[in-house]
Amino acid sequence: MTDITSNGAAAAPSNALLTLMKARTFIALILVFVFFAIFAPNFLSTANFVIMSKHVALNAFLAIGMTFVIISGGIDLSVGSIVGLCGMVAGYLLLNGIDLGIGWTVQFNTLEICLIVVLVGIAIGALNGFLITKLNVAPFIATLGTLYIARGAAMLSSGGETFPNLTGSAEYGSASYRFIGSGAFLGIPVSIWMLIVVGLLAAYIAKRTPLGRFIYAVGGNERAAGLSGVKVTYVKYFVYMFSGLCAALVGIIISSQLVAAHPATGDTFELNAIAAAVLGGTSMSGGRGKIGGTIIGAFVIGVLSDGLVMMGVSAFWQTVIKGVVIIAAVVIDQAQQRVQARVALQAQAAVGK
Amino acid sequence: MTDQHPVGLKIIGGTKVYPGTVALKAADFELRMGAVNVLVGENGAGKSTMMKVIAGVEQLTQGRIEMDGEEVRFTSTDDAERHGIGMIFQELNLFPNLTVAENIFMAHEKTRFGFDIDAEQQRAETRKLMKRLEHSIDPDTLVGDLKVGQQQIVEIAKSLARKAKILILDEPTSALSATEVEILFKVIAELKAEGVGLVYISHRMDELIRIGDYITVLRDGAITGARSMDGVDVPWIVRSMIGESSKDFAKEIEHPYGEEALRVEGMRLPDSGGGFVVDGVSFSLRQGEILGIYGLMGAGRTELLETIIGRHHLADGDVWVVGKKMGRPRVSDRIAHGLALIPEDRKHDGLVQILSIRENMTLSSLGAVTSGFHMNLKAERSRVAEFVKRMMIKIASPENPVSSLSGGNQQKVVISKALMTEPKVLLMDEPSRGIDIGAKAEVFRVMRQLAAKGLGIVFVTSDLEEVLSLSDRIIVMSNGRITGSFNRDEATDTKLVQASAAGHNPDSPPAQLHRKTA
């Protein structure tokens, strides 16, 4: 039983507490950072930053796409497999081009290869959207199905073999493919520039476009959104296609970084993406989440795992720690929701009704 | 009278404090057995809080509860239930994916040897309960497939099955039609005779006066009047509730009708059983006209409005808005052409609870603040501020989640959302459901004003008084068909009730009836 006296005084601290809780992922990032800066040797070196940011970027791409999907009330398990398949498509095109079957083979330059690969990613996203909206398959099942299909297709494309030496050829204009993974502009890796562009684009969509608002509305209450005139089907198509696009970009970046494409690439990446989104405050029941939060979430996970490696912590312990961090994030998130609801109710009570 | 109805439960000096608000202030309440204890007050007056305390959902901050002279403490609904207290909540607490029988016996399953559920017995008992409530809802139907009104019947059956000594009914009639209300009242009379103490919460004054034995009025958490029902009339209740004389329905604003705003022809909507929920409905509405649609629940009224707004793809029939024929059913197209719907079920169809008040209000009309694909957030905020003022919505901040508002204010948000699309025709499904008398009066006033401005309004209601005093013209529906059409001056309640009962008999609910028409 609460007592009456404490309630008046509780209002101010709960506001401060709320601000603190809202910034929790950011605070966590700073804490993790400071911790490794002290305990992990070479953590603060530029070289380490470059490597770490490249690792984080891969997960952040997937997590951005995943955030939209989760906000819309769905889930996309297929992204890891799309990464693998898209890498294989890129590798195949670089090595073989497309044989037209009449003795002619079409070769592509870097831009064309990237466009084709991106289209493959978007197409699988569209397939997810089709299954979910038109055939009414639950998102979990639909994307689980495409997870297997895409992975299988990746394996089939090479019989399970790796496409090696993806150096491209100057003759076809594809030699610049390696630049995507290894190049830098103004001292910052190309993949980070891509992340900045995609991140800003996604944040803009979420906040300043009707489409973004509709994604939140569909996730919050699909029926009410539909009756308000929101084209629910289009919104769902968009989120899965955008997620596919993000996965395709990751496929391109990895195959370029490794100068090879392996069909098993991207295995379980979808789980890291979900973890980053959740860590960033995205609600699994839909309607709530922020792109900025997700990117910070991806950084927390990335910095944590790289830092632990540098400290020499065993990979097994790393996995355990990652799990603990995710659960802690969700527990704090729940507490935040309660505080937030209370603050809103208090404000409403002050108005009179 | 006191001897005739012993006090079964007492709240003495009950105070309930929620963070930041006192919901109940030193309330003394006596619940009499074998009688209907009526509880009235505006939304937020503390009625539900007081009942939640009795039902064990909430605990008192101060004060105590006595049953038969002994102090009792309910720390959970289980505790209260052990003391024979049952409650039907305003928000339906049912499991849509379970059957009617499973819902009724939830957590009280009939079992063999304590673990094996005796489904046959549950079904039989459910049938008995339904017979008592004069409904033939099949025990094996999924609750999710039932209409809101039928769900309420299930909820009532559920509490009957528990054989409670004290039964709290929080707005049980809000989704029921006149005939069903009669049936419920008959059941209440039977329970009364069995010595059950009933608490009845409702916003419908005539009901309260009819069935109440004792009345308690709450205002801002304090009890402002408690007496036996003898000599109580509506003005007295309203005075105690809002502290001033009755506001009544908004006065008619004289205005000429314009051209035809909406025409519906041959609207049909098939149901899963091969019949039609909406069966060949045609009507026309002029600008500035308010058309009331009256009927029993399941008569197809809600579905009719839904087909007009384009929610059902299987619907067949033509719709014209201000002379323009609508294409295939798509909600967004119809909204763009000037139709807007205010749904019956605010929580599930009207609002996105998790989003803010601002985001909910502008959801249908983001185009107005968007150029290309860029949304002007400043323009959006000022638009919201304008409507908050115009609709007199009481909010702390438009950024708070819409779920923090009371029912009346939520309804105003839904109406604002519809009005922001600048509709030519407004379809309102039970616009006054579950909101207090003050908010109701305001909603009606807004409807009048809009009509005077040339908006065509179609509104569905189960409240006779409402339909008679608000409508310029009334259509009565039964079994998906129009069974009566009256002008304002020729409509009477008997005529409406007769028309709404066409083709009905008390044992067959409408949902089953229209299947036979196949």
Side-chain angles (χ1 to χ4, degrees), chain A residues 26 52 73 148 169 191 216 227 254 268 272 286 288 329 339 343:
Chain A
F26 201 63
M52 211 162 59
Y148 287 122
S169 103
S191 59
Y216 284 89
L227 276 177
I254 292 185
T268 72
N272 277 328
R288 193 162 54 82
V339 176
V343 170

Side-chain angles (χ1 to χ4, degrees), chain B residues 237-264:
Chain B
I237 300 176
V238 173
R239 259 200 315 281
S240 311
M241 259 173 78
I242 51 181
E244 57 190 84
S245 55
S246 171
K247 283 185 207 163
D248 217 0
F249 294 104
K251 289 280 171 297
E252 167 82 2
I253 306 168
E254 283 301 327
H255 62 274
Y257 298 148
E259 49 184 303
E260 188 176 68
L262 173 74
R263 186 145 58 96
V264 176

Side-chain angles (χ1 to χ4, degrees), chain B residues 8-115:
Chain B
L9 184 144
K10 240 188 204 173
I11 297 180
I12 301 157
T15 298
K16 173 69 193 175
V17 182
Y18 288 110
T21 173
V22 184
L24 206 58
K25 294 173 193 157
D28 293 318
F29 175 68
E30 288 183 345
L31 196 159
R32 291 171 185 277
M33 304 304 283
V36 176
N37 303 264
V38 157
L39 207 55
V40 275
E42 296 203 275
N43 278 356
K47 303 171 307 241
S48 293
T49 306
M50 195 153 97
M51 291 309 107
K52 279 178 182 164
V53 165
I54 295 179
V57 179
E58 302 275 0
Q59 281 78 47
L60 282 176
T61 314
Q62 277 171 1
R64 58 206 166 95
I65 305 174
E66 278 183 7
M67 274 184 92
D68 305 321
E70 275 175 54
E71 182 170 353
V72 284
R73 267 177 195 280
F74 303 143
T75 51
S76 69
T77 44
D78 280 353
D79 273 354
E81 229 175 85
R82 265 195 294 280
H83 285 85
I85 296 170
M87 176 161 179
I88 300 172
F89 291 93
Q90 197 176 351
E91 311 284 328
L92 299 171
N93 285 313
L94 296 170
F95 304 89
N97 291 323
L98 297 181
T99 67
V100 170
E102 282 165 343
N103 263 285
I104 287 175
F105 293 99
M106 177 53 63
H108 295 75
E109 286 80 5
K110 301 273 170 209
T111 52
R112 287 180 282 253
F113 319 115
F115 61 87

